Amino acid sequence: MNREIKRAIACMVWLAAAFPCMVNAQSYFKMGEQVSLFNEVCRKLNTMYVDTLNPEQMVHDAIVGMTRNMDPYTVFYSMKDKSQLQQMLTGKYAGIGAVIKYCLDKKHVAIEYPFDNSPAKENGFEKGDVILAINDTSMLEKTTEYVSNHLRGEAGTTVKVKLKKRSTGKPVEVNIVRRAIQQPDVACHFIYNGPEAEGKKVGVIYLTQFDLDSYDHFKEAFLDLKRQGMEKLVIDLRGNGGGSVAEAVKIINMFIPRGELIVQTRGKSAQLNTKYMATADPMDTSIPLMVLVDEDSASASEILAGCLQDLDRAKIAGMMTYGKGIVQQTVPLQDDAELKVTVSKYYLPSGRCVQARNYNKGKEESVADSLKHTFYTKSGKEVKDGSGIIPDIELKNDTMSRIVYYLSVGDSTELVHNYVCDYLNKHKNIADAGTFSLSDADFNDFKKRVMAANFKYDPFTEKVLKNLKEVAEAEGYYEGSKAEFEALEKKLTHDISHDIDFNKTQIKSVLERDIMTGRYGYSKGMECNYKYNSVFLKALKEF
């Protein structure tokens, strides 16, 4: 039998022996029988199948098929896939530290923005700079994936990038040394002084993920806000899919007394059961806290929000969270492969588990209402399991209008991108994120560009009317209602000028965010959006 197959089978036997949950005689015997069957199938296929097989790929596909029938978080990573796993766990990769964008109108890739404290930022890369070549290989008409792969490499190596500068239109060549890049976990932190704050200095920390340094970054942001006189704190976890439980625990410990239970995990064996307690002295047990969540807040985000809710330490506002109450652990395998496997569920201080889904042969099933239970916070307020974190103050996220979506995502003429680049070239002095606002004259200039470009998008009302008309014709009702249809069609005729004015606030928020990002960086761009965010503004009124 092929050596690769033997090693893969040995790996499976090791897995069977490695997990304490399988070390009872009956299950171990059954696993041994099945591994023996797998061994035989591999041997027969390898010796009898008409075409030459790739044993490594064959066994890889078998393992992937096996894990696919469990849950979406149990994943096998071969040696060549490990960089993907490491980036997911650490939030780090080696490169120049810039987000890039494919420009549909000119078919080239440009810098969207460099990360703060990155090689790209330090070497003067700016929003709108066109990437002409990398190491003398042309990047024109190449995809963002192609360009990204050429920009990334081993930390410490040098890459030569040829740019066409946005500000001058002239080409420049930069030799830039790659280094480990960490995607920002604290997207922004600032003091909000708008009217909704009612004269209080409200600190905001927008945390996008929990990686291995998130506690340090969060603590640094918190202390900076305290130095600025912060009186209340909003922790924004919207869109935060989780990450390191340990980092979430340390952040929670900043706000609750030593000795409190934060979260506990329970698996099939005692070795997988862990209690996470507040083991350090807190930094602030009295500052009022508000945590913003939505349907994409998951895992470690739910631990942070749920623990503070169970201990009555914070108000939770937004939408019901995703409901991921399971914990994964990475297991090293032979040949430098790794297995990320679901090993336990986590339980909040009230005793509830927020896992909102069961998995049956890889298929997702919601937890039935009849299986949900009631638990109680420290003060006796009811909370439920099996449903994610249900906010104390339920607020829906803003819905992006269709015209704003098409302008910012699917516009082949790149009106937003080009307007922002021109604005940055024209305005050398731009106010800070807290005070910056596009003037009516600036907005009208953008509107004129959209009108002159003969911009088209797919209006929802016209689409619905067209579908209704087709159904009426098919069922024989159209002729009798033709006049009404024509009148309605005339009333709902697509009017770009009207749509732009009606969605002025959303369009301004997109333009201002991109201008701030282009001039001052990603953090200031994120900060700029809060003055338009209805969930944030409504939550402040309840704070």
Side-chain angles (χ1 to χ4, degrees):
M1 186 170 55
N2 191 291
R3 186 171 64 90
E4 285 85 352
I5 294 178
K6 285 182 178 179
R7 292 166 71 183
I9 292 168
C11 161
M12 290 184 177
V13 173
W14 183 88
L15 280 174
F19 289 94
C21 63
M22 304 191 69
V23 185
N24 64 71
Q26 186 177 12
S27 64
Y28 186 83
F29 178 75
K30 287 182 178 179
M31 178 60 76
E33 280 187 328
Q34 298 310 306
V35 170
S36 177
L37 175 61
F38 180 81
N39 183 341
E40 185 177 8
V41 170
C42 287
R43 186 172 61 250
K44 295 294 185 185
L45 288 173
N46 194 48
T47 56
M48 299 177 66
Y49 188 69
V50 65
D51 292 326
T52 302
L53 297 176
N54 180 336
E56 185 178 284
Q57 187 63 48
M58 183 171 68
V59 174
H60 177 277
D61 291 345
I63 297 173
V64 170
M66 179 167 53
T67 57
R68 190 179 292 132
N69 276 334
M70 296 176 183
D71 63 56
Y73 312 104
T74 296
V75 182
F76 170 71
Y77 293 90
S78 65
M79 180 176 62
K80 64 182 180 180
D81 299 326
K82 277 189 65 175
S83 61
Q84 175 190 352
L85 174 64
Q86 289 305 310
Q87 185 177 336
M88 180 183 68
L89 293 175
T90 65
K92 294 180 180 178
Y93 65 93
I96 68 167
V99 173
I100 58 178
K101 168 188 171 60
Y102 184 79
C103 298
L104 294 167
D105 58 339
K106 300 181 181 70
K107 294 182 171 56
H108 60 222
V109 172
I111 299 296
E112 181 70 352
Y113 60 86
F115 292 148
D116 295 338
N117 306 312
S118 67
K121 184 83 169 179
E122 292 162 5
N123 282 271
F125 284 39
E126 299 177 297
K127 180 181 178 69
D129 289 350
V130 178
I131 301 175
L132 299 175
I134 299 173
N135 290 334
D136 298 323
T137 299
S138 174
M139 293 293 125
L140 297 178
E141 299 193 6
K142 297 295 193 297
T143 65
T144 53
E145 181 181 11
Y146 183 90
V147 175
S148 178
N149 288 338
H150 281 71
L151 288 172
R152 293 189 182 192
E154 292 293 324
T157 59
T158 300
V159 59
K160 182 170 70 173
V161 183
K162 185 176 182 181
L163 299 172
K164 179 182 177 183
K165 293 296 293 177
R166 181 208 77 218
S167 54
T168 64
K170 296 179 180 179
V172 299
E173 281 190 353
V174 181
N175 288 313
I176 184 167
V177 179
R178 299 180 178 101
R179 66 172 183 249
I181 303 297
Q182 182 162 9
Q183 298 177 16
D185 43 14
V186 174
C188 64
H189 73 280
F190 62 96
I191 296 288
Y192 182 80
N193 290 315
E196 298 81 5
E198 297 180 342
K200 297 289 186 180
K201 288 189 174 183
V202 178
V204 178
I205 301 178
Y206 177 23
L207 188 63
T208 61
Q209 60 190 354
F210 292 86
D211 62 35
L212 300 183
D213 300 312
S214 291
Y215 165 71
D216 291 335
H217 297 154
F218 185 95
K219 178 182 174 182
E220 183 181 342
F222 177 78
L223 291 175
D224 183 47
L225 294 175
K226 289 279 278 188
R227 285 191 290 270
Q228 296 179 53
M230 172 178 61
E231 298 170 88
K232 298 180 177 182
L233 175 61
V234 174
I235 304 173
D236 193 346
L237 299 179
R238 288 175 295 175
N240 185 326
S244 169
V245 172
E247 294 298 293
V249 166
K250 287 189 284 187
I251 292 172
I252 295 165
N253 196 166
M254 291 171 61
F255 305 108
I256 64 173
R258 179 196 286 265
E260 289 278 9
L261 172 66
I262 293 175
V263 67
Q264 58 183 313
T265 61
R266 300 178 201 155
K268 283 187 177 178
S269 76
Q271 294 181 14
L272 295 171
N273 296 343
T274 305
K275 280 190 176 183
Y276 294 88
M277 311 295 292
T279 57
D281 290 329
M283 297 184 67
D284 195 326
T285 58
S286 60
I287 187 170
L289 298 176
M290 173 80 79
V291 181
L292 303 183
V293 295
D294 64 11
E295 71 272 22
D296 295 319
S297 305
S299 191
S301 290
E302 294 172 297
I303 291 175
L304 192 152
C307 176
L308 295 179
Q309 185 181 52
D310 278 6
L311 299 178
D312 300 301
R313 181 63 186 87
K315 288 185 178 181
I316 313 300
M319 301 171 67
M320 185 170 70
T321 61
Y322 182 81
K324 182 177 181 287
I326 50 181
V327 180
Q328 286 71 46
Q329 182 175 310
T330 56
V331 181
L333 306 174
Q334 65 181 49
D335 295 335
D336 209 24
E338 291 201 30
L339 182 70
K340 181 165 70 74
V341 58
T342 298
V343 295
S344 57
K345 292 183 178 180
Y346 68 77
Y347 297 82
L348 295 169
S350 65
R352 60 177 166 152
C353 177
V354 302
Q355 179 65 17
R357 296 158 181 80
N358 294 321
Y359 298 98
N360 183 14
K361 294 184 178 179
K363 293 182 179 179
E364 186 178 290
E365 300 172 346
S366 297
V367 175
D369 288 342
S370 60
L371 298 178
K372 295 177 182 178
H373 305 90
T374 299
F375 295 83
Y376 298 92
T377 71
K378 204 168 188 179
S379 67
K381 184 176 61 178
E382 286 190 2
V383 287
K384 296 281 188 181
D385 67 357
S387 299
I389 304 298
I390 300 173
D392 305 302
I393 305 160
E394 295 196 48
L395 300 167
K396 288 188 177 180
N397 280 344
D398 298 328
T399 301
M400 182 182 285
S401 69
R402 294 177 75 82
I403 188 171
V404 176
Y405 173 82
Y406 278 88
L407 278 169
S408 57
V409 178
D411 175 23
S412 62
T413 58
E414 297 286 357
L415 287 162
V416 168
H417 177 78
N418 292 330
Y419 175 82
V420 169
C421 289
D422 289 345
Y423 188 96
L424 291 169
N425 286 339
K426 184 178 177 182
H427 297 81
K428 302 305 178 185
N429 297 313
I430 299 176
D432 188 74
T435 56
F436 174 69
S437 180
L438 277 178
S439 67
D440 288 341
D442 291 329
F443 183 80
N444 288 332
D445 178 36
F446 176 75
K447 179 179 176 180
K448 288 175 184 176
R449 291 190 181 209
V450 177
M451 301 299 292
N454 197 26
F455 171 74
K456 303 284 186 187
Y457 80 101
D458 184 18
F460 186 65
T461 50
E462 288 184 16
K463 198 171 186 178
V464 171
L465 182 61
K466 181 182 177 183
N467 292 339
L468 181 61
K469 183 177 175 181
E470 289 173 354
V471 171
E473 287 174 340
E475 296 185 356
Y477 294 108
Y478 179 71
E479 287 303 321
S481 308
K482 187 174 182 179
E484 288 84 353
F485 267 102
E486 288 176 349
L488 188 58
E489 194 169 12
K490 188 175 181 180
K491 190 169 286 188
L492 296 178
T493 296
H494 195 32
D495 185 343
I496 292 285
S497 178
H498 167 270
D499 293 348
I500 292 173
D501 290 337
F502 185 78
N503 294 285
K504 180 177 179 178
T505 299
Q506 280 197 14
I507 294 172
K508 278 188 67 176
S509 73
V510 170
L511 295 174
E512 290 177 8
R513 177 201 65 202
D514 286 3
I515 290 168
M516 280 291 103
T517 302
R519 179 51 50 88
Y520 298 115
Y522 174 73
S523 178
K524 289 297 183 182
M526 294 299 99
E527 176 185 337
C528 189
N529 263 357
Y530 278 84
K531 65 183 177 184
Y532 294 112
N533 190 276
S534 67
V535 171
F536 171 70
L537 298 177
K538 289 175 182 175
L540 287 187
K541 295 178 181 178
E542 305 288 338
F543 196 9

